[in-house]
Each structure stands twice: as structure tokens, then as C-alpha cells.
Amino acid sequence: MENPSNLLLKLSRSLFADTAEQEKFIHAVTNPQPFNPAILWLQPKPTENPFHVENPVSWQPEFVDRLALESKPGKHSLHQAGHYYCLDFSSIFAASTLLTISQPIELILDMCAAPGGKSVFAWKTLNPELLLCNEVIGKRMGMLTSNLRRCQIQASAAANLDSTIFAEKIPQTANLVIVDAPCTGQSLLPKGDKAPGCFHHVTINSNANRQKRILANSAKIVAPQGYLAYMTCTYSSAENEQVSEWLLSKFPEFQPVTVRHLEKYRSHLTEIPCYRMWSPDKLGAGAFTVLFQNTSEGETNQLPADFLYLARFTL
């Protein structure tokens, strides 16, 4: 197997033409550092915030606080009481495309939901009538349902199904489908976590093919004029921009949505308006995000009542 350092160098060259940018990227990936934690408030903020809060960036929603590096929000009693959800700032960045959706949302389906951060963000932002959270990996269901209960996300349901079943059973029902896709997880490395084989082309191609299958099924579930949000926590363009281009070629009724507040983060690797957070920016370890809209006309299908028997209501 090729040396991981050589694979990282190849990846950096595919992402940046400038040598200095390549070096900055490699340094960030190979020299882990802490990133500021963030919390998403689900209850009104207390009069006196128990944490030191960093100055917000321009696109940061008012219900999110980015905290000082030394903060331990997961250990506070307000966390246990469900007053906020802890997540990293890269996740806030990726989910912030949803802030551009202004139409009423009845049904949200989060296809790859565990542990639940993007689901909670979508619920807080869009106030749907029903949030359906799916997780195909059974052992991750516990953390998902626990977080939905702790945060009192109503009305929500959790399911453990393959995306194919949703495409067959509930086509054109969801006003928003979120696909926070399984990926090589390359952005885990700047945080000091492990992602074995994440730069190898076989691993990248395998993940890209899986992402395309999930996205194809997810596209069939989106109602006319509804939205499909795609995001990853990896750097490879084969899992990000190229997957997005593939989706548009297979489902021409979908069009990318320009997200004005993320314009300075727009990817230089495609003509499609999609957005990246890079680890050298020091806001987060990295993220890719793009929002599509189903431009087709027609009626939204109602969610069949018997379908919910396949899901496990959490609340």
C-alpha cells in the first residue's frame, strides 16, 4: 500500500494549485489541534451565560454559541437537562445552508442522523411538523434516541432502515431530506482522531459510490419544490464536488441553491455553488456542504400512516 504521506500530498495537490496552500493544508492535517466547542441552544439562554463565549462569525445563527477552548459544556447540568446540544463548529457550518429555507416545512427526514446534531439543528431552524431521523447502523440508534429525548425534540421519530425502503415506501413526501453522508472522515485527523486508510483511492471510491446510492434514494423522497441537503466531513473532491455533479446529472430536476451567507467559503473545485470549511481557517476541522432544490411541479405525497409502524417513535 502506498505511503500515507504520499497519498496526503497527492490529495493536497488535487485540492490546491498553490504550493503554500498545499503546505498549510498538510500541516493542519498532520498537526492536530483543539477547536472551539459550540452549543446549540434549545431553551432560552440564561441571563448569565455559564460559559465564555467567543465573538460570533457573520453567518453564525443567534441560537449558537462558540465557546472558549477550555469549555466543557457536556459536563454542565444544563446539558443534562436538554437546554442545549453540543456539537463542533464544522457541523454548524454544514447545517447552516438550512437557514436559507423560508418556506413552511412539514416533514424532515435526516437519512444518516446519529448522533443527531444536524437533526436538532434542522428542528430548531425550521420547526417541522415531524422530524424523522434514520440511522442504518443499529448500534448508533441508542445515542440518537437518547439525544432526541434529552433535548425534547417533538414531534420526532427514529428509524433503522436502509435508504432504499424510504425511496420505495414514501416517495415525494419530505420537504427536506438531509444526507450527512458516511465518508472517509479525513477531517477527523486535524482533531487528533483516527481515520484508517482515509486517503487511499479504494477507500475514497468505495465511499463515493455509497454516497451516490444514498443520495439517489434520498432524491426520490424529496417532494416537489422541496430540498436535499448534502454534507460530509471529508476533503476529497471525489466525495464532495464530484458526487454533487453526479447528482445533478442523474436528477436534472434538482438545482443547487446559492447560499449567500457562505459565499466567501464557496468551493473553487466546481462551478456548482457548494461550500467548504478548511481546517487551516481554525474555525473547525473541516466540512463540505451543498443545498439542492427539487424544481419539479406537482403534489406532495402524504406520509402513509402505516409507514410509521416501521419507525420507532421516540417521543
Side-chain angles (χ1 to χ4, degrees), residues 104-108 121-130 154-155:
I105 300 294
E106 295 184 11
L107 175 62
I108 296 175
F121 187 103
W123 179 85
K124 174 68 176 180
T125 302
L126 298 169
N127 190 29
E129 292 184 13
L130 176 63
Q154 302 179 35

Side-chain angles (χ1 to χ4, degrees), residues 30-49:
T30 55
N31 293 271
Q33 63 174 320
F35 293 93
N36 296 78
I39 56 176
L40 188 161
W41 287 97
L42 299 164
Q43 300 292 334
K45 295 182 184 181
T47 305
E48 293 188 14
N49 198 314

Side-chain angles (χ1 to χ4, degrees), residues 138-160:
K139 65 182 181 180
R140 291 168 61 87
M141 287 292 292
M143 70 176 86
L144 173 61
T145 55
S146 174
N147 283 329
L148 293 175
R149 289 194 186 100
R150 178 179 59 80
C151 296
Q152 302 175 55
I153 306 301
Q154 302 179 35
S156 66
N160 174 219

Side-chain angles (χ1 to χ4, degrees), residues 4 6 21 26 42 48 59 65 76-77 84 109 129 135 141 151 155 168 191 227 264 277 284 292 312:
N6 293 336
E21 291 297 321
I26 292 173
L42 299 164
E48 293 188 14
W59 51 267
D65 283 336
H76 198 280
S77 59
Y84 57 77
L109 169 60
E129 292 184 13
E135 178 52 55
M141 287 292 292
C151 296
E168 292 174 351
K191 297 189 291 186
Y227 293 88
K264 76 173 187 176
M277 175 181 281
F292 302 101
R312 177 155 51 97

